[in-house]
Amino acid sequence: MFAEVLLPLSIPGTYTYQIPPEMTVAIGSRVLVPFGRKKIYTAIVESVHDVQPQGYEVKQLLALLDTAPIVRHPQLKFWQWMADYYLCSMGEVYKAALPSGLKVESETFISPNADFEEDLASRLSDRERVVLDFTAQRGRVQIADIAQATGFKTVEGTVHRLLDRGAIHVSERVIDNYRPKTETCVRLTLQRGDDDALHKLFDQVKRARKQEQLLLAYLDLAHWLTPGSETREVTKDELLQRADATAAVLSATMQRGIFETYKREINRFAWQDAHTQPPPALSDEQQRAYREVHQSFKDHAITLLHGVTSSGKTSIYIHLILDALELGRQVLYLVPEIALTTQLTRRLRTVLGNRLLIYHSKFSDNERVDIWKRLLHSDEPCVVLGVRSSVFLPYAKLGLVIVDEEHDSSYKQQDPAPRYNGRNAAIMLAQMHGAKTLLGSATPAIEVYHRALNGQYGLVQLLTRYADIQLPTVKVIDTKLARKKREMRGLFSQELITDCRHALKRGEQVILFQNRRGYAPIVRCKECGWVPQCENCDVSLTYHKFTRSLTCHYCGHTLTLPTLCPACQMPGIEVVGYGTERIEDVIDQVFPDEKISRMDLDTTRSRASYDRIIDDFSARKTHILVGTQMVTKGLDFDGVSVVGILNADTMISFPDFRSHERAFDMMEQVAGRAGRAHKQGLVILQTSEPGHPVIEFVKAHDYEGFFKHELQERRQFAFPPFVRIINIYLRHRDEATVGEMAVRFSQLLRHTFGNRILGPEAPPVGRVQQLFIRQIVLKVEMQASMPKVKKVLRGLYEQMLTLDGRMKGIRLHYDVDPV
């Protein structure tokens, strides 16, 4: 028998391995397989057959890791759809889907050959001798350790030469990263029912009162003397607490042979009964929307809930979740950012108790494995609250999928493959399970709203705020005019500062939005104009004052800010522009008595930092929150009355067909943070183009008007939702090579796709991590079959490989439905 297995690699198709006679494998099980000369990988069994492959020797499976499949139906089918639609391999989907703790891999180790003797014929170079001496000292090392210790940038070639000469051995060690959570339990060393033995134990401890109390406490906790009951496992901690004893007392009883301890594996997210509260009562408008969603689900598998900010969409979600749980089904609740899960967790926990599971990248790998195993081994109704990666979990009875803030670009995975959209993947996952999908947003994606109006999706609207609070007033500040009147202080107009001061005096809170992190986006020499550039990417470095460093936000390259200009040796270094770090600095000077916090990628590296920032602002311990787009994503703060959008121009003028949609979404969403508790809020929007159509639509909170305006332009220039966009990226270290290959490949594509091909051209950032980039745009009809498109593109790529061997050195990938 033979198994077709998936490897966690970017290679097309499956690989065939022979199943040893003593091994019984099932589809979806994990197996260890040898691959290449030395590597060992965890593979997933995709199918089993008895067809002998011809033309090559088939390797055997090394080991079976699971007695039962680690994935369940329809996960493999879902992986196949994702690989076909997003033009990648199933191996790449598998690598993204499973937590690392479930992917056992091998690590390469170098060890010295004790029998090697250097002679004239095999004299070592100085570099080789350094590597061999270091290996001999350590006995067994990894290549990365050699590079770090010796300072050699590339040691692979040296190691290869030493291997050819027989100076070293290469071995593999299989690494299992998963560590289950365990707790120490205590048990008696005798069999239950052996009363004579139990009496002897009491005789041993009758002179040791603490040990006797420990024995009595154990008998009580374990229900040892209760007729007809099963013996209960007793943990070390609860036993010591019940007996009011120390670990030394327990150790003494173990030395007497009374007790013994053992480790018990426990789930980090074990099912427990928790006290819950009734769901929030719905207003008349919310009740109407709730009924309409149920009615829409009868005719449509997918429904869009278009509700303005602060209309109470979350309360409707909770009632729909409880309906699904009553039917014994599971629910997936997707949010775009981890920050949202922090605030939602408390709200949902009070209603759902421990039926709520959280899943996102800030969890440790062990925690993610435990959630995976909990869902895999149980079909009890529960709710998974998570970000886009939650679509990969092994659901058993998925009945409802909720995608909150469905328009958000954070649902799109950028790198590595699969470059999927969490919203679209969730819709397909729900269809495969026969579940319903609810999309919620105050500013729906153009494509989604278009489908809803065409009847492909159901549409329910909730256009009034909860408790009939008015949408915030939007005050537009013309920064050009304000500068002429000398009413600007850096990036802050006098009106903005005045309105913030009045709000803070009333005990209210302020949010300041600037979609750029760091201290300043540009550093330059005012004497000669020198600007520090990243050595790996075609971008200038961003200044971070806290670390006094210049950092590339594409590759992470960092320099220390120089005191003198490296070009002219003059002390003329100055910073230009405003990031969130600089805004926080300036606002602290303007409002020295107010507590200020900042929310961006730099301040939210850990899970605890999200909680701290949001908790402090919710509890009004901080009064001003400065942030990037993280603050726009559905967060609910009762005390906010003023929101300042500091620079709308950078969002509107970005060179991309979605820039106006993104700008409208961000500004309307951040405006929605103002005035959420019994009072209308104020939004101050600073721009040098107050008459721009997007600004006018934001000012009027007119999503319908914006949609019609944007749709007309999309139709005129053939952009989504009227076509599907596929970006084709080619990368290479040599600019001339990638330019020539991109031209030749685009010509080949035009022979098949005609005028659907645009480009090639360099993107706005034409070099990232020392690789030059060229972009080709393919527009295909919405009804086109993506598996067929994938097959055609694969064929053209293979044809290009035969025409020009240099294509092998080109890194090629596809981005379907870019955002």
Side-chain angles (χ1 to χ4, degrees), residues 393-590:
L393 288 168
Y395 301 98
K397 293 182 177 179
L398 194 61
L400 175 65
V401 173
I402 297 171
V403 186
D404 196 17
E405 309 294 346
E406 58 80 20
H407 66 276
D408 201 288
S409 60
S410 296
Y411 280 121
K412 185 73 162 79
Q413 163 77 8
Q414 300 297 343
D415 279 308
R419 296 170 179 84
Y420 66 100
N421 188 304
R423 175 195 64 210
N424 298 342
I427 289 172
M428 180 55 63
L429 179 71
Q431 288 180 2
M432 290 182 178
H433 280 271
K436 300 296 183 182
T437 304
L438 182 66
L439 309 176
S441 177
T443 55
I446 298 293
E447 294 95 319
V448 169
Y449 198 65
H450 180 67
R451 291 189 185 114
L453 292 181
N454 286 347
Q456 293 172 263
Y457 297 168
L459 176 61
V460 176
Q461 295 191 310
L462 189 60
L463 302 180
T464 58
R465 281 185 148 191
Y466 186 73
D468 293 324
I469 300 169
Q470 294 296 307
L471 286 165
T473 302
V474 179
K475 184 193 295 186
V476 178
I477 305 294
D478 185 344
T479 53
K480 279 185 180 177
L481 187 62
R483 283 195 171 88
K484 285 182 181 178
K485 294 181 177 180
R486 299 189 176 181
E487 294 176 351
M488 292 291 291
R489 177 175 175 174
L491 201 60
F492 304 91
S493 64
Q494 190 57 51
E495 280 190 77
L496 172 62
I497 292 173
T498 301
D499 288 326
C500 289
R501 183 169 282 119
H502 289 161
L504 293 167
K505 282 184 178 178
R506 295 192 298 267
E508 296 162 352
Q509 293 170 293
V510 173
I511 289 178
L512 298 176
F513 170 61
Q514 170 76 338
N515 200 29
R516 185 184 290 276
R517 64 187 174 99
Y519 189 84
I522 298 173
V523 174
R524 70 184 180 195
C525 175
K526 59 187 176 185
E527 302 294 338
C528 69
W530 172 82
V531 175
Q533 297 285 323
C534 176
E535 64 181 31
N536 303 316
C537 313
D538 284 345
V539 292
S540 58
L541 299 176
T542 300
Y543 176 50
H544 291 255
K545 185 180 180 182
F546 180 74
T547 56
R548 193 170 170 78
S549 62
L550 300 167
T551 302
C552 173
H553 288 170
Y554 284 84
C555 70
H557 175 67
T558 301
L559 296 173
T560 303
L561 181 70
T563 305
L564 299 177
C565 171
C568 67
Q569 300 300 311
M570 296 291 288
I573 302 293
E574 64 175 355
V575 294
V576 180
Y578 287 80
T580 49
E581 195 178 343
R582 187 175 188 183
I583 290 166
E584 181 186 27
D585 208 15
V586 174
I587 285 295
D588 189 43
Q589 297 171 21
V590 177

Side-chain angles (χ1 to χ4, degrees), residues 270-290:
W271 293 101
Q272 295 174 7
D273 292 325
H275 177 70
T276 57
Q277 298 175 5
L282 299 179
S283 67
D284 292 342
E285 270 296 288
Q286 288 173 323
Q287 194 70 43
R288 174 195 59 78
Y290 168 71

Side-chain angles (χ1 to χ4, degrees), residues 694-746:
V694 173
I695 301 295
E696 293 293 337
F697 291 128
V698 172
K699 186 177 179 180
H701 302 290
D702 184 8
Y703 174 80
E704 293 280 349
F706 170 76
F707 170 78
K708 291 174 183 176
H709 177 269
E710 186 71 9
L711 196 69
Q712 184 178 355
E713 288 195 349
R714 301 272 185 99
R715 182 182 285 110
Q716 182 179 353
F717 296 105
F719 281 111
F722 303 103
V723 297
R724 177 172 287 120
I725 298 286
I726 302 172
N727 283 339
I728 305 170
Y729 291 98
L730 297 89
R731 287 177 162 86
H732 195 272
R733 288 185 177 274
D734 182 65
E735 187 173 14
T737 300
V738 74
E740 185 181 345
M741 290 296 99
V743 169
R744 295 194 66 183
F745 192 46
S746 64

Side-chain angles (χ1 to χ4, degrees), residues 665-679:
D665 290 350
M666 281 190 202
M667 288 189 279
E668 186 64 22
Q669 289 287 341
V670 76
R673 304 313 111 206
R676 299 173 73 91
H678 316 298
K679 182 179 179 181

Side-chain angles (χ1 to χ4, degrees), residues 35-330:
F35 189 76
R37 291 180 60 190
K38 292 287 182 181
K39 282 290 182 182
I40 297 170
Y41 286 103
T42 300
I44 298 283
V45 178
E46 195 252 359
S47 63
V48 176
H49 59 83
D50 59 359
V51 181
Q52 170 79 46
Q54 301 298 318
Y56 61 92
E57 182 183 352
V58 182
K59 296 179 180 179
Q60 276 198 347
L61 301 178
L62 296 178
L64 177 66
L65 297 179
D66 304 302
T67 54
I70 201 72
V71 296
R72 64 161 90 231
H73 178 79
Q75 279 181 284
L76 290 176
K77 181 182 175 184
F78 178 62
W79 292 4
Q80 185 64 64
W81 169 83
M82 186 170 281
D84 287 342
Y85 187 85
Y86 291 104
L87 307 180
C88 62
S89 70
M90 268 190 82
E92 289 171 310
V93 180
Y94 157 42
K95 187 174 183 179
L98 252 67
S100 297
L102 293 176
K103 296 193 290 283
V104 180
E105 293 189 0
S106 63
E107 293 183 358
T108 302
F109 284 86
I110 311 299
S111 56
N113 180 5
D115 298 329
F116 173 73
E117 293 182 4
E118 186 178 358
D119 53 32
L120 291 175
S122 59
R123 185 175 294 278
L124 301 179
S125 67
D126 292 341
R127 189 184 182 100
E128 290 168 346
R129 190 170 286 106
V130 168
V131 171
L132 183 60
D133 288 346
F134 176 74
T135 307
Q137 289 171 10
R138 292 288 190 90
R140 196 162 178 260
V141 295
Q142 290 182 272
I143 290 178
D145 297 331
I146 298 173
Q148 184 177 3
T150 60
F152 298 153
K153 288 187 176 180
T154 56
V155 296
E156 289 81 2
T158 307
V159 169
H160 183 69
R161 288 192 296 274
L162 288 170
L163 185 63
D164 286 343
R165 296 182 179 192
I168 58 172
H169 296 299
V170 174
S171 60
E172 294 289 319
R173 186 180 71 180
V174 175
I175 306 298
D176 185 355
N177 293 317
Y178 175 62
R179 294 292 179 270
K181 185 177 181 179
T182 60
E183 61 183 359
T184 303
C185 292
V186 180
R187 62 189 170 205
L188 282 175
T189 56
L190 53 84
Q191 293 293 321
R192 189 180 184 187
D194 190 346
D195 293 338
D196 291 338
L198 185 60
H199 283 302
K200 289 179 180 178
L201 292 186
F202 274 107
D203 289 340
Q204 288 186 57
V205 299
K206 64 182 179 182
R207 295 182 181 276
R209 189 173 60 85
K210 282 290 185 181
Q211 295 180 29
E212 186 180 40
Q213 287 178 350
L214 202 66
L215 181 56
L216 288 169
Y218 175 84
L219 296 175
D220 182 32
L221 288 170
H223 304 156
W224 187 274
L225 302 176
T226 306
S229 67
E230 291 188 7
T231 305
R232 177 178 169 271
E233 287 187 291
V234 178
T235 67
K236 176 182 173 182
D237 290 340
E238 66 177 328
L239 176 62
L240 295 178
Q241 184 177 1
R242 173 67 68 88
D244 191 23
T246 63
V249 176
L250 177 60
S251 179
T253 59
M254 290 171 64
Q255 289 175 5
R256 287 185 166 185
I258 298 173
F259 287 117
E260 64 182 6
T261 60
Y262 63 96
K263 294 287 186 180
R264 179 180 70 176
E265 183 176 336
I266 60 171
N267 196 309
R268 289 176 173 84
F269 305 91
W271 293 101
Q272 295 174 7
D273 292 325
H275 177 70
T276 57
Q277 298 175 5
L282 299 179
S283 67
D284 292 342
E285 270 296 288
Q286 288 173 323
Q287 194 70 43
R288 174 195 59 78
Y290 168 71
R291 290 194 302 268
E292 287 185 11
V293 169
H294 269 297
Q295 190 63 39
S296 177
F297 279 158
K298 294 179 181 178
D299 303 316
H300 299 91
I302 306 161
T303 294
L304 170 64
L305 176 59
H306 176 206
V308 297
T309 54
S310 196
S311 58
K313 295 187 290 295
T314 306
S315 296
I316 297 174
Y317 298 157
I318 291 173
H319 282 262
L320 293 169
I321 287 169
L322 291 172
D323 293 342
L325 293 176
E326 284 182 18
L327 295 173
R329 307 303 296 270
Q330 296 170 331

